[in-house]
Amino acid sequence: MKHILPIITALLCVNFYAQASEPAGKTILARGSVLATNETAQQRQLQRRDTVFGIDRITTGNQSKAQFSMLDGGLISLKENSELNIANYQFDKNTQQGSASIELLKGGLRSISGVIKKNGGAYDVKTPVGSIGIRGTHFEVQLVDDNVFIAVWDGAIDLTLTNNNVLSLGDNEAFSFAQITGTGDVFTTTRAAAVFDQTVATIEPNSESEETEQTQTASTNNTIIEDDSTADAYSEQQFQAVDNASLVDQIAQRQGIFNYSASDFSVASSAGGVTDFSMTMAVDFDNGTVPDGEISFNDAGGTWYAAYSGLINISELDLAITFASYGNNKAQGDIDAVFLNDLDTIIGNFQLNEINNPDVNASGSFILEP
């Protein structure tokens, strides 16, 4: 018996580490410092296409972000200065069953659940104020000091607080957003808080904010306080463009490289009228990238040209101009784009200027279609 116990212990350890080293997903975006630490405290810098495992603890640094495609097709996006522990992520592709548990220790994440939740499996997200049970959804969590902010963009969640009270948010619930303070107070609202920065350069927010009823009870520990006065207005048009969970599902399922070109545009130049506008973009859905794209047009002073590339980031396109010129002069600029309504329409805008003479510039908006 004395010899059997060490063998059993060793087998249990082997089994634990075997499960821990099982792939949980792959990295589809790693910008800046993105580190994964395994159960033996070994660190590795994550890059696009790198595998993440259970149990991995993932951290992002300043001006860094990461996005992961999980085994069941779910998506997890980490903001800068975040720390996420993948406590468990198991999925059987044959049975399409599994379970997942992740823990946000610092910063913020956005998650879109995959097949595990759709097939009724257990999927929960632990936070400092309690555990989030998911009912098939697209949601976001942000930790700020001792406060936890939650946004449900689609579907619903049940947050079991540390005092065992349950806060439900999302579809068929009174509220979709909440703030839980370090002292246990709960604020619920129908609008997203300012910590959820949903600004998209190509879409302007509505000037008029939605009027909602406000009620408030005494602010005591574990008291729910319903108050819209501190929440920011959020454009319904932005919601449809950026936070459409079904659109993200389509992105996850689409395969191959699709080539888009301009079907409509509006461009202005400091040199006057613009002619011969052309814009193309290749989107590689298999790898979650934009391998190449080009913009060119003429004005009275010469030809503008820009090359760009980037990544798919949730339903946005995270793009960067890699080369730009105006005639024989070097230029620079920015470009933003987002899928609109379906994967067959991309809208966005851009701005370009000469490096040595910023007053020489051009800017515009565009619609791209296959």
Side-chain angles (χ1 to χ4, degrees), residues 292-356:
D292 59 76
E294 293 184 337
I295 302 171
S296 65
F297 55 92
N298 298 324
D299 62 19
T303 299
W304 287 94
Y305 174 81
Y308 62 92
S309 60
L311 301 162
I312 300 174
N313 183 12
I314 304 294
S315 58
E316 298 176 62
L317 294 166
D318 189 1
L319 303 174
I321 290 177
T322 55
F323 174 81
S325 63
Y326 180 50
N328 295 322
N329 299 322
K330 290 184 179 180
Q332 62 187 2
D334 296 299
I335 181 170
D336 297 284
V338 63
F339 289 108
L340 183 64
N341 300 326
D342 57 46
L343 300 185
D344 292 331
T345 306
I346 297 172
I347 64 171
N349 60 21
F350 67 89
Q351 67 83 23
L352 300 168
N353 62 268
E354 283 192 1
I355 293 177
N356 294 327

Side-chain angles (χ1 to χ4, degrees), residues 48-66:
R48 188 169 63 87
R49 298 182 182 176
D50 282 352
T51 299
V52 291
F53 300 89
I55 304 171
D56 265 342
R57 180 168 294 196
I58 300 167
T59 58
T60 58
N62 288 328
Q63 297 181 333
S64 303
K65 58 184 176 180

Side-chain angles (χ1 to χ4, degrees), residues 129-144:
V129 298
S131 180
I132 298 173
I134 298 170
R135 288 187 262 150
T137 193
H138 177 189
F139 70 97
E140 193 166 354
V141 182
Q142 180 72 47
L143 309 185
V144 181

Side-chain angles (χ1 to χ4, degrees), residues 11-292:
L11 288 173
L12 288 173
C13 289
V14 169
N15 184 54
F16 170 79
Y17 286 114
Q19 290 181 354
S21 61
E22 286 294 318
K26 68 176 181 178
T27 308
I28 56 178
L29 183 150
R31 184 66 54 83
S33 175
V34 182
L35 297 175
T37 305
N38 64 18
E39 65 275 7
T40 61
Q42 293 179 320
Q43 283 191 337
R44 63 192 189 278
Q45 173 73 39
L46 290 179
Q47 298 178 348
R48 188 169 63 87
R49 298 182 182 176
D50 282 352
T51 299
V52 291
F53 300 89
I55 304 171
D56 265 342
R57 180 168 294 196
I58 300 167
T59 58
T60 58
N62 288 328
Q63 297 181 333
S64 303
K65 58 184 176 180
Q67 185 179 335
F68 306 96
S69 176
M70 309 309 286
L71 285 177
D72 67 329
L75 292 173
I76 296 174
S77 181
L78 277 184
K79 298 182 179 181
E80 67 174 342
N81 295 317
S82 296
E83 185 172 352
L84 176 71
N85 182 36
I86 305 176
N88 166 61
Y89 215 107
Q90 298 183 25
F91 179 68
D92 188 321
K93 292 185 178 180
N94 294 323
T95 64
Q96 295 290 290
Q97 300 294 320
S99 63
S101 177
I102 60 178
E103 182 179 9
L104 182 64
L105 303 170
K106 178 183 175 184
L109 69 78
R110 180 181 288 197
S111 176
I112 298 173
S113 57
V115 176
I116 288 176
K117 193 62 228 175
K118 290 178 182 177
N119 289 347
Y123 190 123
D124 65 271
V125 179
K126 300 184 187 303
T127 75
V129 298
S131 180
I132 298 173
I134 298 170
R135 288 187 262 150
T137 193
H138 177 189
F139 70 97
E140 193 166 354
V141 182
Q142 180 72 47
L143 309 185
V144 181
D145 297 325
D146 293 331
N147 298 281
V148 176
F149 293 86
I150 300 174
V152 180
W153 305 116
D154 190 74
I157 66 169
D158 297 311
L159 172 61
T160 303
L161 300 168
T162 53
N163 66 349
N164 291 323
N165 287 342
V166 177
L167 171 65
S168 296
L169 301 168
D171 292 352
N172 301 318
E173 305 292 347
F175 301 95
S176 294
F177 309 97
Q179 173 189 352
I180 302 93
T181 69
T183 57
D185 295 330
V186 179
F187 296 82
T188 54
T189 177
T190 56
R191 299 175 186 170
V195 296
F196 300 113
D197 180 11
Q198 302 299 329
T199 302
V200 178
T202 57
I203 303 173
E204 293 296 327
N206 294 339
S207 58
E208 298 180 0
S209 57
E210 176 187 0
E211 294 295 326
T212 57
E213 296 181 0
Q214 299 179 17
T215 61
Q216 182 168 336
T217 61
S219 177
T220 58
N221 285 353
N222 301 317
T223 298
I224 294 179
I225 303 173
E226 302 165 356
D227 184 1
D228 288 331
S229 61
T230 59
D232 286 355
Y234 186 75
S235 160
E236 180 65 22
Q237 188 180 14
Q238 283 178 294
F239 181 90
Q240 292 174 351
V242 183
D243 292 301
N244 188 326
S246 64
L247 177 61
V248 179
D249 287 341
Q250 293 177 50
I251 293 172
Q253 294 170 12
R254 179 164 285 196
Q255 297 179 331
I257 298 176
F258 284 68
N259 294 302
Y260 295 78
S261 58
S263 61
D264 198 4
F265 62 91
S266 175
V267 182
S269 168
S270 60
V274 169
T275 60
D276 302 320
F277 181 85
S278 175
M279 183 173 180
T280 59
M281 181 188 299
V283 180
D284 184 345
F285 289 95
D286 293 334
N287 296 302
T289 65
V290 178
D292 59 76

